[in-house]
Amino acid sequence: MFIQSKLANSEILLLDINVPEDQETDELEWHEVNMPVSNAHLKGIFSTAYTTGFCITRYQFSIFRNTTYSLSVGRDFVQVSLMSKGVSTLKTSRQAKKSIQLGLVQLAYRYECHPVFNLYQESPKYDYTRIFLSKALFLNVLNSEKWANEFDFFKKVRDGEPVRFGDCVLPVDVTTFEILTEMFENKTQGILTTYFLTYKLREFFLIMHSKMIKDEKTVKFPKEVSEKLHQAKAILGISYTNSPTIRQLSKEVSLNEQKLKSGFKELFGQTIKGYITDLRMKQAKILVQDRIPVNEVAFRLGYKSVSHFISSYKKKFGITPKQSSN
């Protein structure tokens, strides 16, 4: 599996690797590359970690001027993508231009692709994570899972049916974002890397499968409205520590405030405020159990008042953060 990425107006190659696809032993060697990047258009770091059949990349840039970068990947690969900050469009080999939505996990399966990405200075921060898996690794990880035979994306990959960028899209949440982060920050080597990646990939794709099943059973909305509501949920999923107001969110997804509030509750079974609180509380529980000071947890999660945070925590879990950490 080859992966190459290059900045426009530059000879700088961000990435140019051939990821081995055949695993000769059970022990995997984990490689990491962190590349500082700075020019008139952007500044930041491009990070890569890879092993047999697997590669994860992360672009973290400050954008000063509109610019582009290219990506070439092949052959026969599964891709997981998430843009958590920025404004970007994708130009495909057919010259079509697609907007990339914030906070949406995109699953794709292609034989080969060569897209170009446009970055815009109107949103000065850009953060994009991608995972590339060889088809062989993807099938090997999921073949033994009984639920995989009901997972539409797995079946399409198994049968060699292409899944294009934008065809399989789901909003990110705290759990899926953490799994991506954990894979990116992996420090294991050898057999532990094999166990770690297998476990995390199964966990990630099971969550994707569960989300798809849940979406199929939810209230049916017109496609355009449903997409906007999912986009709203995705935006909240990556900004819950500093969430937009209803008015700001309404403008972001181009849906009037009343339709946004009522549609969100009908489609997802809870209010926007309730969803933000749930996201904060899930993260709060993890931080509290890690013995992070309560005032720091409240600050990290966007609470202006520590007492308000403690009250919300107790209402959710029935005990205070202090009691939870004992």
Side-chain angles (χ1 to χ4, degrees), residues 184-199:
F184 185 78
E185 295 178 348
N186 171 53
K187 298 300 180 186
T188 66
Q189 287 288 354
I191 192 66
L192 291 179
T193 299
T194 305
Y195 294 152
F196 174 79
L197 285 181
T198 299
Y199 174 76

Side-chain angles (χ1 to χ4, degrees), residues 78-80 104-109 138 142 147-157 163-164 166-173 176 203-220 226 230 233 267-268:
V78 168
Q79 179 177 329
V80 178
L104 293 178
V105 176
Q106 310 239 14
L107 305 183
Y109 166 59
F138 176 77
L142 296 187
W147 55 265
N149 289 319
E150 300 173 359
F151 184 23
D152 284 344
F153 182 73
F154 172 82
K155 290 187 287 186
K156 288 179 178 179
V157 175
V163 179
R164 296 185 179 278
D167 289 350
C168 187
V169 179
L170 294 160
V172 73
D173 59 19
T176 49
E203 183 182 15
F204 177 82
F205 285 113
L206 177 57
I207 291 172
M208 294 296 101
H209 173 50
S210 300
K211 285 178 177 288
M212 289 178 186
I213 292 175
K214 189 174 182 180
D215 278 357
E216 289 172 0
K217 293 180 178 179
T218 54
V219 180
K220 298 297 181 182
S226 178
H230 277 88
K233 188 177 184 182
L267 184 59
F268 302 119

Side-chain angles (χ1 to χ4, degrees), residues 62-80:
S62 294
I63 311 298
F64 309 130
R65 301 179 186 173
N66 294 352
T67 189
T68 65
Y69 69 88
S70 61
L71 178 67
S72 294
V73 190
R75 296 178 167 88
D76 227 13
F77 67 97
V78 168
Q79 179 177 329
V80 178

